[in-house]
mmCIF file of all heavy atoms in Angstrom:
data_model
loop_
_atom_site.group_PDB
_atom_site.id
_atom_site.type_symbol
_atom_site.label_atom_id
_atom_site.label_comp_id
_atom_site.label_asym_id
_atom_site.label_seq_id
_atom_site.Cartn_x
_atom_site.Cartn_y
_atom_site.Cartn_z
ATOM 1 N N CYS A 151 23.579 96.147 22.741
ATOM 2 C CA CYS A 151 24.324 96.269 21.489
ATOM 3 C C CYS A 151 25.797 96.522 21.841
ATOM 4 O O CYS A 151 26.113 97.513 22.505
ATOM 5 C CB CYS A 151 23.799 97.426 20.655
ATOM 6 S SG CYS A 151 22.207 97.053 19.927
ATOM 7 N N GLY A 152 26.648 95.642 21.394
ATOM 8 C CA GLY A 152 28.074 95.747 21.737
ATOM 9 C C GLY A 152 28.806 96.710 20.814
ATOM 10 O O GLY A 152 28.217 97.300 19.904
ATOM 11 N N PRO A 153 30.101 96.850 21.030
ATOM 12 C CA PRO A 153 30.877 97.823 20.261
ATOM 13 C C PRO A 153 31.181 97.348 18.840
ATOM 14 O O PRO A 153 31.224 96.143 18.585
ATOM 15 C CB PRO A 153 32.192 97.901 21.052
ATOM 16 C CG PRO A 153 32.331 96.545 21.648
ATOM 17 C CD PRO A 153 30.939 96.092 21.980
ATOM 18 N N THR A 154 31.374 98.314 17.955
ATOM 19 C CA THR A 154 31.906 97.995 16.635
ATOM 20 C C THR A 154 33.422 98.099 16.788
ATOM 21 O O THR A 154 33.951 99.178 17.079
ATOM 22 C CB THR A 154 31.384 98.996 15.580
ATOM 23 O OG1 THR A 154 29.962 99.053 15.715
ATOM 24 C CG2 THR A 154 31.738 98.557 14.161
ATOM 25 N N VAL A 155 34.104 96.952 16.633
ATOM 26 C CA VAL A 155 35.504 96.885 17.075
ATOM 27 C C VAL A 155 36.504 97.264 15.970
ATOM 28 O O VAL A 155 37.399 96.487 15.649
ATOM 29 C CB VAL A 155 35.810 95.505 17.692
ATOM 30 C CG1 VAL A 155 35.215 95.413 19.089
ATOM 31 C CG2 VAL A 155 35.263 94.366 16.824
ATOM 32 N N TYR A 156 36.330 98.469 15.436
ATOM 33 C CA TYR A 156 37.281 98.935 14.418
ATOM 34 C C TYR A 156 38.188 100.016 14.987
ATOM 35 O O TYR A 156 39.045 100.561 14.295
ATOM 36 C CB TYR A 156 36.535 99.446 13.173
ATOM 37 C CG TYR A 156 35.835 100.775 13.338
ATOM 38 C CD1 TYR A 156 36.280 101.905 12.648
ATOM 39 C CD2 TYR A 156 34.733 100.896 14.169
ATOM 40 C CE1 TYR A 156 35.638 103.125 12.790
ATOM 41 C CE2 TYR A 156 34.086 102.104 14.313
ATOM 42 C CZ TYR A 156 34.542 103.211 13.632
ATOM 43 O OH TYR A 156 33.911 104.426 13.775
ATOM 44 N N HIS A 157 37.948 100.364 16.254
ATOM 45 C CA HIS A 157 38.738 101.402 16.903
ATOM 46 C C HIS A 157 38.510 101.258 18.407
ATOM 47 O O HIS A 157 37.652 100.488 18.839
ATOM 48 C CB HIS A 157 38.264 102.781 16.422
ATOM 49 C CG HIS A 157 39.392 103.748 16.250
ATOM 50 N ND1 HIS A 157 40.437 103.814 17.135
ATOM 51 C CD2 HIS A 157 39.646 104.699 15.302
ATOM 52 C CE1 HIS A 157 41.288 104.748 16.736
ATOM 53 N NE2 HIS A 157 40.847 105.300 15.605
ATOM 54 N N TYR A 158 39.267 102.054 19.182
ATOM 55 C CA TYR A 158 39.020 102.040 20.627
ATOM 56 C C TYR A 158 37.614 102.558 20.902
ATOM 57 O O TYR A 158 37.107 103.413 20.162
ATOM 58 C CB TYR A 158 40.006 102.973 21.341
ATOM 59 C CG TYR A 158 41.426 102.466 21.327
ATOM 60 C CD1 TYR A 158 42.396 103.059 20.526
ATOM 61 C CD2 TYR A 158 41.789 101.383 22.127
ATOM 62 C CE1 TYR A 158 43.698 102.582 20.515
ATOM 63 C CE2 TYR A 158 43.087 100.909 22.116
ATOM 64 C CZ TYR A 158 44.033 101.511 21.302
ATOM 65 O OH TYR A 158 45.305 101.034 21.290
ATOM 66 N N ALA A 159 37.017 102.066 21.995
ATOM 67 C CA ALA A 159 35.757 102.663 22.447
ATOM 68 C C ALA A 159 36.117 104.024 23.024
ATOM 69 O O ALA A 159 37.161 104.177 23.655
ATOM 70 C CB ALA A 159 35.132 101.793 23.532
ATOM 71 N N HIS A 160 35.268 105.036 22.764
ATOM 72 C CA HIS A 160 35.539 106.325 23.407
ATOM 73 C C HIS A 160 34.712 106.408 24.692
ATOM 74 O O HIS A 160 33.838 105.560 24.939
ATOM 75 C CB HIS A 160 35.295 107.494 22.451
ATOM 76 C CG HIS A 160 33.930 107.552 21.837
ATOM 77 N ND1 HIS A 160 32.788 107.710 22.585
ATOM 78 C CD2 HIS A 160 33.535 107.464 20.538
ATOM 79 C CE1 HIS A 160 31.746 107.735 21.773
ATOM 80 N NE2 HIS A 160 32.164 107.572 20.530
ATOM 81 N N ILE A 161 35.008 107.426 25.503
ATOM 82 C CA ILE A 161 34.345 107.462 26.804
ATOM 83 C C ILE A 161 32.844 107.749 26.675
ATOM 84 O O ILE A 161 32.100 107.548 27.626
ATOM 85 C CB ILE A 161 35.042 108.446 27.781
ATOM 86 C CG1 ILE A 161 35.059 109.872 27.210
ATOM 87 C CG2 ILE A 161 36.455 107.973 28.115
ATOM 88 C CD1 ILE A 161 35.534 110.906 28.225
ATOM 89 N N GLY A 162 32.404 108.197 25.479
ATOM 90 C CA GLY A 162 30.967 108.340 25.219
ATOM 91 C C GLY A 162 30.329 106.961 25.106
ATOM 92 O O GLY A 162 29.337 106.663 25.768
ATOM 93 N N ASN A 163 30.925 106.094 24.284
ATOM 94 C CA ASN A 163 30.421 104.710 24.198
ATOM 95 C C ASN A 163 30.368 104.124 25.603
ATOM 96 O O ASN A 163 29.389 103.473 25.986
ATOM 97 C CB ASN A 163 31.370 103.800 23.387
ATOM 98 C CG ASN A 163 31.597 104.254 21.962
ATOM 99 O OD1 ASN A 163 32.730 104.415 21.528
ATOM 100 N ND2 ASN A 163 30.526 104.473 21.226
ATOM 101 N N LEU A 164 31.433 104.389 26.355
ATOM 102 C CA LEU A 164 31.532 103.758 27.682
ATOM 103 C C LEU A 164 30.520 104.333 28.669
ATOM 104 O O LEU A 164 30.127 103.663 29.611
ATOM 105 C CB LEU A 164 32.977 103.844 28.190
ATOM 106 C CG LEU A 164 33.887 102.927 27.353
ATOM 107 C CD1 LEU A 164 35.349 103.346 27.444
ATOM 108 C CD2 LEU A 164 33.732 101.465 27.759
ATOM 109 N N ARG A 165 30.050 105.555 28.421
ATOM 110 C CA ARG A 165 28.950 106.074 29.258
ATOM 111 C C ARG A 165 27.759 105.115 29.128
ATOM 112 O O ARG A 165 27.138 104.742 30.122
ATOM 113 C CB ARG A 165 28.523 107.483 28.812
ATOM 114 C CG ARG A 165 27.351 107.972 29.632
ATOM 115 C CD ARG A 165 26.659 109.229 29.145
ATOM 116 N NE ARG A 165 25.696 109.671 30.150
ATOM 117 C CZ ARG A 165 24.738 110.544 29.950
ATOM 118 N NH1 ARG A 165 24.608 111.128 28.767
ATOM 119 N NH2 ARG A 165 23.892 110.862 30.894
ATOM 120 N N SER A 166 27.450 104.739 27.875
ATOM 121 C CA SER A 166 26.316 103.820 27.670
ATOM 122 C C SER A 166 26.540 102.513 28.425
ATOM 123 O O SER A 166 25.645 102.018 29.109
ATOM 124 C CB SER A 166 26.124 103.520 26.184
ATOM 125 O OG SER A 166 25.588 104.662 25.549
ATOM 126 N N TYR A 167 27.750 101.955 28.310
ATOM 127 C CA TYR A 167 28.003 100.657 28.958
ATOM 128 C C TYR A 167 28.013 100.764 30.482
ATOM 129 O O TYR A 167 27.617 99.827 31.178
ATOM 130 C CB TYR A 167 29.295 100.028 28.416
ATOM 131 C CG TYR A 167 29.161 99.702 26.946
ATOM 132 C CD1 TYR A 167 29.865 100.415 25.976
ATOM 133 C CD2 TYR A 167 28.269 98.728 26.525
ATOM 134 C CE1 TYR A 167 29.698 100.158 24.622
ATOM 135 C CE2 TYR A 167 28.095 98.449 25.181
ATOM 136 C CZ TYR A 167 28.811 99.166 24.231
ATOM 137 O OH TYR A 167 28.625 98.896 22.907
ATOM 138 N N ILE A 168 28.472 101.904 31.002
ATOM 139 C CA ILE A 168 28.457 102.101 32.464
ATOM 140 C C ILE A 168 27.007 102.102 32.961
ATOM 141 O O ILE A 168 26.654 101.418 33.919
ATOM 142 C CB ILE A 168 29.163 103.431 32.855
ATOM 143 C CG1 ILE A 168 30.678 103.308 32.671
ATOM 144 C CG2 ILE A 168 28.834 103.825 34.294
ATOM 145 C CD1 ILE A 168 31.444 104.633 32.828
ATOM 146 N N MET A 169 26.139 102.857 32.276
ATOM 147 C CA MET A 169 24.754 102.982 32.755
ATOM 148 C C MET A 169 23.998 101.657 32.579
ATOM 149 O O MET A 169 23.161 101.303 33.406
ATOM 150 C CB MET A 169 24.031 104.139 32.038
ATOM 151 C CG MET A 169 24.673 105.504 32.208
ATOM 152 S SD MET A 169 25.277 105.944 33.857
ATOM 153 C CE MET A 169 23.773 106.099 34.792
ATOM 154 N N GLU A 170 24.305 100.928 31.518
ATOM 155 C CA GLU A 170 23.680 99.613 31.329
ATOM 156 C C GLU A 170 24.150 98.638 32.410
ATOM 157 O O GLU A 170 23.386 97.802 32.891
ATOM 158 C CB GLU A 170 24.022 99.076 29.934
ATOM 159 C CG GLU A 170 23.372 99.888 28.828
ATOM 160 C CD GLU A 170 24.031 99.749 27.457
ATOM 161 O OE1 GLU A 170 25.012 98.978 27.309
ATOM 162 O OE2 GLU A 170 23.580 100.427 26.528
ATOM 163 N N ASP A 171 25.413 98.788 32.795
ATOM 164 C CA ASP A 171 25.977 97.951 33.860
ATOM 165 C C ASP A 171 25.264 98.235 35.185
ATOM 166 O O ASP A 171 24.943 97.313 35.940
ATOM 167 C CB ASP A 171 27.473 98.280 33.977
ATOM 168 C CG ASP A 171 28.194 97.497 35.062
ATOM 169 O OD1 ASP A 171 28.290 96.262 34.917
ATOM 170 O OD2 ASP A 171 28.648 98.112 36.047
ATOM 171 N N VAL A 172 24.998 99.524 35.447
ATOM 172 C CA VAL A 172 24.308 99.886 36.687
ATOM 173 C C VAL A 172 22.886 99.309 36.663
ATOM 174 O O VAL A 172 22.399 98.783 37.667
ATOM 175 C CB VAL A 172 24.259 101.425 36.873
ATOM 176 C CG1 VAL A 172 23.445 101.787 38.098
ATOM 177 C CG2 VAL A 172 25.659 101.984 37.020
ATOM 178 N N LEU A 173 22.243 99.370 35.503
ATOM 179 C CA LEU A 173 20.891 98.806 35.393
ATOM 180 C C LEU A 173 20.929 97.302 35.719
ATOM 181 O O LEU A 173 20.137 96.808 36.524
ATOM 182 C CB LEU A 173 20.336 99.021 33.977
ATOM 183 C CG LEU A 173 19.000 98.339 33.679
ATOM 184 C CD1 LEU A 173 17.885 98.885 34.568
ATOM 185 C CD2 LEU A 173 18.598 98.496 32.208
ATOM 186 N N GLU A 174 21.864 96.594 35.102
ATOM 187 C CA GLU A 174 21.964 95.153 35.356
ATOM 188 C C GLU A 174 22.220 94.889 36.844
ATOM 189 O O GLU A 174 21.574 94.043 37.465
ATOM 190 C CB GLU A 174 23.103 94.547 34.524
ATOM 191 C CG GLU A 174 23.308 93.087 34.873
ATOM 192 C CD GLU A 174 24.538 92.444 34.247
ATOM 193 O OE1 GLU A 174 25.140 93.027 33.338
ATOM 194 O OE2 GLU A 174 24.875 91.334 34.696
ATOM 195 N N LYS A 175 23.184 95.651 37.415
ATOM 196 C CA LYS A 175 23.532 95.395 38.820
ATOM 197 C C LYS A 175 22.392 95.758 39.762
ATOM 198 O O LYS A 175 22.187 95.091 40.766
ATOM 199 C CB LYS A 175 24.817 96.142 39.180
ATOM 200 C CG LYS A 175 26.033 95.444 38.574
ATOM 201 C CD LYS A 175 27.307 96.191 38.813
ATOM 202 C CE LYS A 175 28.480 95.414 38.223
ATOM 203 N NZ LYS A 175 29.654 96.266 38.006
ATOM 204 N N TYR A 176 21.639 96.811 39.416
ATOM 205 C CA TYR A 176 20.514 97.131 40.292
ATOM 206 C C TYR A 176 19.458 96.031 40.226
ATOM 207 O O TYR A 176 18.895 95.630 41.249
ATOM 208 C CB TYR A 176 19.874 98.505 39.995
ATOM 209 C CG TYR A 176 18.730 98.683 40.963
ATOM 210 C CD1 TYR A 176 18.994 98.826 42.323
ATOM 211 C CD2 TYR A 176 17.407 98.575 40.549
ATOM 212 C CE1 TYR A 176 17.957 98.871 43.253
ATOM 213 C CE2 TYR A 176 16.369 98.616 41.477
ATOM 214 C CZ TYR A 176 16.653 98.770 42.825
ATOM 215 O OH TYR A 176 15.640 98.790 43.748
ATOM 216 N N LEU A 177 19.209 95.505 39.030
ATOM 217 C CA LEU A 177 18.202 94.435 38.920
ATOM 218 C C LEU A 177 18.629 93.216 39.744
ATOM 219 O O LEU A 177 17.817 92.585 40.403
ATOM 220 C CB LEU A 177 17.993 94.058 37.448
ATOM 221 C CG LEU A 177 17.235 95.113 36.629
ATOM 222 C CD1 LEU A 177 17.318 94.809 35.136
ATOM 223 C CD2 LEU A 177 15.768 95.204 37.067
ATOM 224 N N ARG A 178 19.928 92.930 39.719
ATOM 225 C CA ARG A 178 20.421 91.813 40.553
ATOM 226 C C ARG A 178 20.233 92.145 42.036
ATOM 227 O O ARG A 178 19.802 91.308 42.823
ATOM 228 C CB ARG A 178 21.903 91.530 40.258
ATOM 229 C CG ARG A 178 22.126 90.902 38.889
ATOM 230 C CD ARG A 178 23.598 90.545 38.690
ATOM 231 N NE ARG A 178 23.901 90.254 37.304
ATOM 232 C CZ ARG A 178 23.771 89.051 36.741
ATOM 233 N NH1 ARG A 178 23.370 88.038 37.448
ATOM 234 N NH2 ARG A 178 24.064 88.886 35.458
ATOM 235 N N TYR A 179 20.576 93.397 42.399
ATOM 236 C CA TYR A 179 20.444 93.857 43.789
ATOM 237 C C TYR A 179 18.987 93.756 44.232
ATOM 238 O O TYR A 179 18.693 93.422 45.375
ATOM 239 C CB TYR A 179 20.919 95.311 43.837
ATOM 240 C CG TYR A 179 20.919 95.993 45.188
ATOM 241 C CD1 TYR A 179 22.018 95.893 46.048
ATOM 242 C CD2 TYR A 179 19.839 96.783 45.595
ATOM 243 C CE1 TYR A 179 22.032 96.552 47.269
ATOM 244 C CE2 TYR A 179 19.848 97.441 46.815
ATOM 245 C CZ TYR A 179 20.944 97.320 47.644
ATOM 246 O OH TYR A 179 20.965 97.980 48.854
ATOM 247 N N ALA A 180 18.079 94.045 43.278
ATOM 248 C CA ALA A 180 16.647 94.004 43.594
ATOM 249 C C ALA A 180 16.127 92.568 43.665
ATOM 250 O O ALA A 180 14.946 92.353 43.918
ATOM 251 C CB ALA A 180 15.873 94.802 42.549
ATOM 252 N N GLY A 181 16.968 91.611 43.404
ATOM 253 C CA GLY A 181 16.584 90.208 43.600
ATOM 254 C C GLY A 181 16.309 89.425 42.331
ATOM 255 O O GLY A 181 15.876 88.275 42.391
ATOM 256 N N TYR A 182 16.532 90.031 41.159
ATOM 257 C CA TYR A 182 16.262 89.314 39.907
ATOM 258 C C TYR A 182 17.454 88.463 39.482
ATOM 259 O O TYR A 182 18.606 88.797 39.752
ATOM 260 C CB TYR A 182 15.950 90.295 38.769
ATOM 261 C CG TYR A 182 14.658 91.028 38.960
ATOM 262 C CD1 TYR A 182 14.628 92.304 39.508
ATOM 263 C CD2 TYR A 182 13.444 90.431 38.607
ATOM 264 C CE1 TYR A 182 13.431 92.981 39.705
ATOM 265 C CE2 TYR A 182 12.242 91.100 38.809
ATOM 266 C CZ TYR A 182 12.244 92.369 39.348
ATOM 267 O OH TYR A 182 11.057 93.019 39.545
ATOM 268 N N ASP A 183 17.127 87.423 38.772
ATOM 269 C CA ASP A 183 18.152 86.560 38.201
ATOM 270 C C ASP A 183 18.326 87.052 36.750
ATOM 271 O O ASP A 183 17.440 86.861 35.918
ATOM 272 C CB ASP A 183 17.602 85.123 38.257
ATOM 273 C CG ASP A 183 18.533 84.127 37.642
ATOM 274 O OD1 ASP A 183 19.657 84.514 37.299
ATOM 275 O OD2 ASP A 183 18.121 82.960 37.493
ATOM 276 N N VAL A 184 19.431 87.738 36.482
ATOM 277 C CA VAL A 184 19.589 88.399 35.178
ATOM 278 C C VAL A 184 20.493 87.573 34.254
ATOM 279 O O VAL A 184 21.546 87.099 34.677
ATOM 280 C CB VAL A 184 20.236 89.804 35.344
ATOM 281 C CG1 VAL A 184 20.341 90.526 34.009
ATOM 282 C CG2 VAL A 184 19.454 90.654 36.339
ATOM 283 N N LYS A 185 20.067 87.436 33.004
ATOM 284 C CA LYS A 185 20.982 86.896 31.986
ATOM 285 C C LYS A 185 21.186 87.994 30.955
ATOM 286 O O LYS A 185 20.229 88.477 30.346
ATOM 287 C CB LYS A 185 20.396 85.644 31.331
ATOM 288 C CG LYS A 185 21.355 85.072 30.278
ATOM 289 C CD LYS A 185 20.910 83.725 29.760
ATOM 290 C CE LYS A 185 21.868 83.222 28.689
ATOM 291 N NZ LYS A 185 21.372 82.019 28.021
ATOM 292 N N ARG A 186 22.426 88.387 30.785
ATOM 293 C CA ARG A 186 22.696 89.498 29.854
ATOM 294 C C ARG A 186 23.599 89.039 28.713
ATOM 295 O O ARG A 186 24.610 88.372 28.931
ATOM 296 C CB ARG A 186 23.364 90.642 30.629
ATOM 297 C CG ARG A 186 23.728 91.803 29.753
ATOM 298 C CD ARG A 186 23.690 93.086 30.534
ATOM 299 N NE ARG A 186 24.264 94.150 29.748
ATOM 300 C CZ ARG A 186 25.177 94.984 30.198
ATOM 301 N NH1 ARG A 186 25.627 94.879 31.441
ATOM 302 N NH2 ARG A 186 25.636 95.935 29.423
ATOM 303 N N VAL A 187 23.207 89.422 27.525
ATOM 304 C CA VAL A 187 23.934 89.024 26.308
ATOM 305 C C VAL A 187 24.387 90.276 25.565
ATOM 306 O O VAL A 187 23.662 91.268 25.509
ATOM 307 C CB VAL A 187 23.005 88.174 25.386
ATOM 308 C CG1 VAL A 187 23.695 87.825 24.073
ATOM 309 C CG2 VAL A 187 22.547 86.913 26.106
ATOM 310 N N MET A 188 25.585 90.216 25.026
ATOM 311 C CA MET A 188 26.082 91.341 24.211
ATOM 312 C C MET A 188 26.772 90.792 22.958
ATOM 313 O O MET A 188 27.465 89.780 23.028
ATOM 314 C CB MET A 188 27.094 92.158 25.032
ATOM 315 C CG MET A 188 27.591 93.386 24.300
ATOM 316 S SD MET A 188 28.643 94.405 25.361
ATOM 317 C CE MET A 188 30.153 93.499 25.211
ATOM 318 N N ASN A 189 26.553 91.473 21.852
ATOM 319 C CA ASN A 189 27.254 91.083 20.618
ATOM 320 C C ASN A 189 28.542 91.901 20.484
ATOM 321 O O ASN A 189 28.727 92.915 21.163
ATOM 322 C CB ASN A 189 26.368 91.358 19.400
ATOM 323 C CG ASN A 189 26.172 92.845 19.200
ATOM 324 O OD1 ASN A 189 25.834 93.564 20.127
ATOM 325 N ND2 ASN A 189 26.417 93.317 17.991
ATOM 326 N N ILE A 190 29.396 91.451 19.601
ATOM 327 C CA ILE A 190 30.548 92.255 19.197
ATOM 328 C C ILE A 190 30.380 92.436 17.692
ATOM 329 O O ILE A 190 30.313 91.447 16.947
ATOM 330 C CB ILE A 190 31.889 91.517 19.477
ATOM 331 C CG1 ILE A 190 32.099 91.267 20.986
ATOM 332 C CG2 ILE A 190 33.074 92.247 18.857
ATOM 333 C CD1 ILE A 190 32.495 92.471 21.806
ATOM 334 N N THR A 191 30.271 93.685 17.237
ATOM 335 C CA THR A 191 30.081 93.918 15.806
ATOM 336 C C THR A 191 31.436 93.870 15.110
ATOM 337 O O THR A 191 32.220 94.814 15.203
ATOM 338 C CB THR A 191 29.385 95.273 15.568
ATOM 339 O OG1 THR A 191 28.111 95.231 16.204
ATOM 340 C CG2 THR A 191 29.191 95.554 14.085
#
Side-chain angles (χ1 to χ4, degrees):
C151 287
T154 309
V155 284
Y156 73 112
H157 218 320
Y158 291 107
H160 56 62
I161 59 171
N163 301 127
L164 291 159
R165 177 191 189 195
S166 287
Y167 296 110
I168 288 171
M169 301 318 292
E170 292 159 2
D171 179 66
V172 175
L173 173 63
E174 174 188 347
K175 285 176 178 160
Y176 179 67
L177 288 168
R178 289 184 194 273
Y179 182 87
Y182 293 97
D183 177 7
V184 183
K185 181 171 178 188
R186 178 151 170 229
V187 176
M188 184 174 80
N189 68 311
I190 297 285
T191 299

